[in-house]
Amino acid sequence: MTAVTSRMPIAHALNLGLRHAMEADEKVTLIGQDIGQLGGVFRVTDGLQKTFGDHRVVDSPLGEAGIVGSAIGLAMAGYRPVCEIQFDGFVFPAMNQIITQLAKYRHRSEGAVTLPVVIRIPVGGGIGAIEHHSESPEAYFAHTAGLKVVSPSNPQDAYDMMRLAIRSNDPVIFLEPKRNYWLKGDVSTSTTTPADLDKAVTVRKGTDLTLVTYGALVPVAMKAADVCQEEGRNIDVIDLRSLSPIDDKAVVASVQRTGRLVVAHEASRSAGLGAELAARIQDEAFHSLISPVIRVTGYDTPYPASRLEEEWLPGLDRILDGIDRSFTY
Amino acid sequence: MTAVTSRMPIAHALNLGLRHAMEADEKVTLIGQDIGQLGGVFRVTDGLQKTFGDHRVVDSPLGEAGIVGSAIGLAMAGYRPVCEIQFDGFVFPAMNQIITQLAKYRHRSEGAVTLPVVIRIPVGGGIGAIEHHSESPEAYFAHTAGLKVVSPSNPQDAYDMMRLAIRSNDPVIFLEPKRNYWLKGDVSTSTTTPADLDKAVTVRKGTDLTLVTYGALVPVAMKAADVCQEEGRNIDVIDLRSLSPIDDKAVVASVQRTGRLVVAHEASRSAGLGAELAARIQDEAFHSLISPVIRVTGYDTPYPASRLEEEWLPGLDRILDGIDRSFTY
Amino acid sequence: MNGEPISLLNAGGNFTSSPELPFETDSTDVLALYNDMLMARTVDTEAIALQRQGELGLWPSMLGQEAAQIGAAHALNPRDIVFPTYREHGVAWCRGVDPVDLLGLFRGTTLGGWNPTENNFNLYTLVIGAQTLHAVGYAMGILRDGDVGTGDPDRDRAVLVFLGDGALSEGETNEAFVWAAAQNLPVVFFCQNNQWAISAPYSVQSRVSVAQRAQGYGFKGVRVDGNDVFACLAATREALAAARAGQGPTLIEALTYRRNPHTTSDDDGRYRTLAENDAWAALDPIDRLRTYLQSTGLLNDANVEDISRRGKALAEHLRAGCRALPFPGHASPFQNTYADLPDELERQMNEHLEFVEAGE
Amino acid sequence: MNGEPISLLNAGGNFTSSPELPFETDSTDVLALYNDMLMARTVDTEAIALQRQGELGLWPSMLGQEAAQIGAAHALNPRDIVFPTYREHGVAWCRGVDPVDLLGLFRGTTLGGWNPTENNFNLYTLVIGAQTLHAVGYAMGILRDGDVGTGDPDRDRAVLVFLGDGALSEGETNEAFVWAAAQNLPVVFFCQNNQWAISAPYSVQSRVSVAQRAQGYGFKGVRVDGNDVFACLAATREALAAARAGQGPTLIEALTYRRNPHTTSDDDGRYRTLAENDAWAALDPIDRLRTYLQSTGLLNDANVEDISRRGKALAEHLRAGCRALPFPGHASPFQNTYADLPDELERQMNEHLEFVEAGE
Ligand SMILES: Cc1ncc(C[n+]2csc(CCOP(=O)(O)OP(=O)(O)O)c2C)c(N)n1
Ligand SMILES: Cc1ncc(C[n+]2csc(CCOP(=O)(O)OP(=O)(O)O)c2C)c(N)n1
Ligand SMILES: [Mg+2]
Ligand SMILES: [Mg+2]
């Protein structure tokens, strides 16, 4: 495969990442509901069963514990399974396998058994969906030692991070920002090393305030920075990419320059990723902080009926508001 | 039932709380594995099936989803089920019912359906147990809107909070500090109103530093405060009691006086309760903080083999170390 | 068990009695069955149209499943309670839920839409299988209320829970079977085997019939022609009667077919053929009942006209009602999360309301 | 299915062949079976003693389940792989796991104890039912490796997964049945129905036999006398052969009895009678094999002496080995959590190691 660059949406970049990973390693095996002929409800696996056959792209029965549990067994047998959970709200039947087995097996076996399992989950709201189709469960995973948790925000990362996740010898929860599946960008399949899977990336340089987010909110954060720019405020925007481990060094370095930090995510506030970032930064950059770390997040309620989601979700206005709060504290 | 005061361990206080709740309301129904004739592996339900019969103290099949799912149905039918999950590490098969159903049903039904379900879980380490028997899953629940999460630290609270939890019209995750089941204290069954279920309690007044914890670490925190006293440091110790909602006002008020905060819990650090407290306090008491909020917690690893637990758990020495860090920052 | 499902009313509209499933056609109001099947189809048709017009985000069509749903629903007593999936629009209709209220969930104005305590018809459940355990728990409640096996028809009651063929594969559904069997609960599991779980044909889930699953737990499984309203009614009646009498659970498999895509968002051309669909359209449950009614003289110009008028009124009611569905209040997520609004959430609510106001 | 389990070697030690389960006694080394059953009992007895002496925190005894475990284990080929619960000490023994390594988990020096890739014997699983899905996944791997149905005995392999009667009620176990059946996987589910899940008698879980559960999924269920080593061996052999040949899964129920408390922490006097226990002691699996061996002249002074010597050596090995089990290193939790130690965790590790050093 020779490196090419072309413009494509995130969903296609993920598809390409899967395809190239499957070409590179015949042990890579996909399992999930409706991922074969249908190509997944978001078409992320489109065409892969046709190319690789139904032994490598497995349409599973309707059981999430079965998907993750069998992936664990497949990994023990030397495979590299990539699971698809159809929607964020349907990962919970698999929680027992994820938390008590997948995350702990390497530790339990004192390193003798590694489980290179990737669990792909379309996450987040903003698509006008019904209940359970708009959730952001990342904190459950980030609190679980033994899992890596990542989320790409753009097509290039989608491609690169998919390949890195599949190559990882640790289990990876791979959160796909579903409302941006059709967001386009250039994707190079070049083999020059992409940013490590666990590194944050500064997507916009600024001096006055650090804005950290991930996944679907990255483009919103960029817009917020644009607006601030017009007001003469220079925002450093960090795309976290990895939610566990968290690249707090990158955030600390930025806050040491800016003195202010706003964290945005769609998940509920309490005990979310924003809490973790606030806790680390107030500790590691205590004397740098001019004002408190501000969290702009989903509220501590269940995800609401979709007619309310626009106001419930942290959007451009609420992020700007958070930035304001930080500056005017 | 006339009010009496007597000395008893936490396990008996819980048992008494259950018994009195069952006497007061015939709809209170217990479901769990081995809770009948055996009285539960910790004997918390000892004797209750004998008194109330096997329709009110139900020995369930071995399925946690079934325990919580059927409790939801029972609650819909007008009952007030109290579930027992045998150990902290075995709650995960019930996660789907807890997160997608129990926590969300009131919201989904726009208040038409309330689910007064209590889920009792013995939690925490320090008892030399095998895997899955020493965990602290509170953050998963505290991150889930719609659940109340509480944990008593002493016999009186065990009794009072059990009754309040059962009376609550919201689902309550009731975390029992298993290593202190046999810790004794006076219990009054008086009907004078106990502290609200969602209120923190200052268990020791101090002026120099605020130490917040809950459950099994409260006695350890008290010991730490004793040690500090000898060194002339005056520690305010807060027993959080409710982990969701969090009574942050109580903590803020204390930190406004002391300027320093240490939070201790057994659960892993990342995205744990300590993170949430740090995030809130650095925000709400920003100018009061003399040094960063310090977290003394379990590490971001799975709970280790029991021969390592004493050093892995945040014990007296590590809490004192955290306090030191705060003072010497 | 894997053989032919029991059929009473065949595709040609002929009624034949079966020794396996006793049923007398005069034991029920056949015209009411017909009416309800047509009304269910009207609800479905209108909802699809509303979705096309952008009034609904999504609609899970029940086209082809009218006999299963109306048959099952007509076996219910008012005191029985139903736990549906998300596709039981016909059952909702029979239970007296205003069909406009079914639309809110798909319009995004609510996550529920009706008060489940009012018609003994619970909220739709979107998490596959989850409702089977609620049904079991409710049945435990009925048992504890003493409302089983008293012989008093105004007292005895049972639970009817719906599930799809795909739901058979979820662990929770199987735990529900365990509990129902071991505790001999008054619950009837009604599985509409419409042969597809989105793109997964039933063969992905199982190599034997749905009804056979019950054998593994030691209770009765019955397999009926799901496009035959008599068979569905008769099987459900028998099962509910047994449940109310304290004889425990039954699993009913109504073998049918989901003739529309999974939802309006689905593209079923990717995974199945038109020919298959055509074959099932030829087995339409409403057509065969119409033929039967015509042949028995129960259908006449007057009631045809009457039903048609009611259908039109219903369609109009849906169109107007949908657009008039109230939007949720800005404070509603906060107020509905807990019975007692916690302080922190009240602060979030106030922060939010200020924000919303500022924006307006 | 709920009738009498198949028995080949009765309580009196008499062998009778059965048309349902072909087995020839000269198809196996009967003395080796006897030896392994005795060694398993030795491991169990010594571990209980070590627990009493405070060397182990806990021990789940397998007393009474020797025939089930040794019978099943002797049906394995080296290339087959085993997924145990936490009670398969006898199977571990047959697989060549050093029994001292079984103790670490209960001594608190490790959460595992052996390298599961070395003897095709996985780690103990404490979460009831979880291993059944791992077994299914592994079987999917075997299928994909092409190591099923080739007819080459050095190539074909299968998975043998153990579970208890209580595990039948976990959703995950039932999902494993769904997957195994629908995909026709080379996996054998071996359920030791020891009639108790801690204090819950089997009637809490089910009203029909364990073996019958398989019918609901459309694969074979077999019920054997779990105290009869021949029946357990024969049934497992047949099932593994079928699995290796590509004929799919089997569920074996070995009806037996857990004669000791659930673990050394349990108090079974609270929930069952001594009389029940005595009745099962009279059906002891080792006694009946000894009688058989004596009657067939296979047991003589020399090999009795030999086995006794080996038993003593094993006991000594366990006592010495247990005390010599290495304590885990302070850094081990950190180093074993991820393949690549993350920065933050390295910081936590260093913080911790400094702390530990300061305290020493
Ligand atoms: C736990 C869970 N996993 C996945 C989904 C996504 N999903 C929605 S409907 C469906 C198929 C359901 O099939 P079936 O049970 O046969 O019901 P039908 O739609 O045919 O009525 C799936 C996989 C879900 N809703 N819940
Ligand atoms: C998911 C889960 N729930 C609860 C427990 C606690 N527990 C440990 S053993 C056991 C009983 C298991 O019974 P069974 O499956 O019959 O196996 P046996 O102990 O009889 O060998 C229970 C309830 C557990 N380990 N895992
Ligand atoms: Mg279906
Ligand atoms: Mg058992």
Side-chain angles (χ1 to χ4, degrees), chain C:
Chain C
M1 219 13 109
N2 288 308
E4 283 300 294
I6 304 172
S7 177
L8 302 175
L9 184 68
N10 71 14
N14 296 311
F15 173 75
T16 333
S17 65
S18 157
E20 292 172 281
L21 188 62
F23 178 71
E24 322 236 321
T25 54
D26 61 5
S27 71
T28 192
D29 181 346
V30 182
L31 203 63
L33 289 174
Y34 182 67
N35 177 71
D36 286 344
M37 286 166 77
L38 275 176
M39 293 306 139
R41 188 163 288 184
T42 301
V43 170
D44 200 58
T45 310
E46 284 308 315
I48 293 170
L50 286 163
Q51 195 279 334
R52 295 232 168 93
Q53 292 156 29
E55 299 292 338
L56 301 180
L58 186 90
W59 181 255
S61 167
M62 62 169 283
L63 182 70
Q65 304 182 207
E66 295 84 356
Q69 294 193 16
I70 306 304
H74 275 247
L76 289 161
N77 287 346
R79 280 173 52 74
D80 297 328
I81 185 162
V82 174
F83 287 78
T85 73
Y86 41 81
R87 213 184 279 286
E88 274 68 66
H89 320 312
V91 184
W93 165 258
C94 295
R95 288 260 102 184
V97 175
D98 184 340
V100 167
D101 289 343
L102 300 176
L103 305 178
L105 173 60
F106 303 102
R107 189 170 168 79
T109 57
T110 177
L111 303 176
W114 56 94
N115 185 334
T117 62
E118 269 169 19
N119 302 76
N120 275 333
F121 184 78
N122 266 275
L123 294 181
Y124 279 177
T125 299
L126 301 178
V127 178
I128 303 296
Q131 78 282 4
T132 60
L133 284 170
H134 308 166
V136 154
Y138 201 100
M140 288 169 71
I142 291 177
L143 209 61
R144 279 157 183 74
D145 292 339
D147 294 346
V148 170
T150 69
D152 177 353
D154 290 333
R155 179 148 184 205
D156 291 343
R157 54 195 300 233
V159 179
L160 180 62
V161 54
F162 288 86
L163 60 154
D165 44 297
L168 266 258
S169 297
E170 280 288 356
E172 294 194 352
T173 305
N174 291 283
E175 289 195 29
F177 294 156
V178 167
W179 288 58
Q183 300 177 28
N184 208 37
L185 295 174
V187 57
V188 175
F189 299 95
F190 192 99
C191 178
Q192 290 169 79
N193 181 354
N194 63 13
Q195 303 188 54
W196 292 93
I198 310 187
S199 75
Y202 183 61
S203 60
V204 163
Q205 321 288 346
S206 180
R207 58 196 202 191
V208 293
S209 73
V210 169
Q212 187 169 330
R213 180 70 59 86
Q215 273 186 32
Y217 299 89
F219 60 92
K220 194 176 168 189
V222 196
R223 193 168 197 229
V224 295
D225 178 348
N227 285 14
D228 167 353
V229 70
F230 292 159
C232 292
L233 169 58
T236 314
R237 238 187 215 167
E238 188 173 289
L240 282 172
R244 289 186 208 108
Q247 288 156 22
T250 305
L251 170 60
I252 298 172
E253 171 182 10
L255 188 69
T256 179
Y257 191 79
R258 189 198 79 215
R259 271 154 60 192
N260 269 327
H262 173 66
T263 66
T264 46
S265 301
D266 181 34
D267 174 9
D268 62 345
R270 282 187 162 242
Y271 56 80
R272 60 184 193 179
T273 64
L274 267 178
E276 183 182 289
N277 212 318
D278 289 345
W280 280 92
L283 300 171
D284 186 69
I286 298 185
D287 287 350
R288 70 172 80 171
L289 188 61
R290 184 181 307 110
T291 311
Y292 170 82
L293 284 168
Q294 283 162 343
S295 71
T296 52
L298 282 165
L299 215 57
N300 56 40
D301 288 355
N303 52 32
V304 164
E305 168 65 17
D306 195 42
I307 290 173
S308 152
R309 200 171 349 97
R310 266 186 268 160
K312 277 181 195 137
L314 175 58
E316 181 46 39
H317 174 63
L318 279 157
R319 285 190 294 266
C322 178
R323 294 183 174 89
L325 276 169
F327 273 35
H330 302 300
S332 66
F334 304 90
Q335 282 161 342
N336 291 330
T337 299
Y338 293 94
D340 311 310
L341 185 64
D343 286 352
E344 156 73 3
L345 196 52
E346 192 176 350
R347 274 178 274 160
Q348 290 187 16
M349 179 177 77
N350 293 336
E351 182 192 313
H352 179 64
L353 293 178
E354 268 174 46
F355 192 83
V356 169
E357 260 167 47
E360 269 167 358

Side-chain angles (χ1 to χ4, degrees), chain A residues 55 66 79 97 110 147 170 248, chain D residues 110 144-145 172 175 338-339:
Chain A
H55 260 210
Y79 287 79
Q97 287 290 334
E110 294 167 6
L147 302 176
D170 291 309
D248 49 11
Chain D
T110 177
R144 280 156 182 75
D145 292 340
E172 295 195 352
E175 289 196 28
Y338 294 95

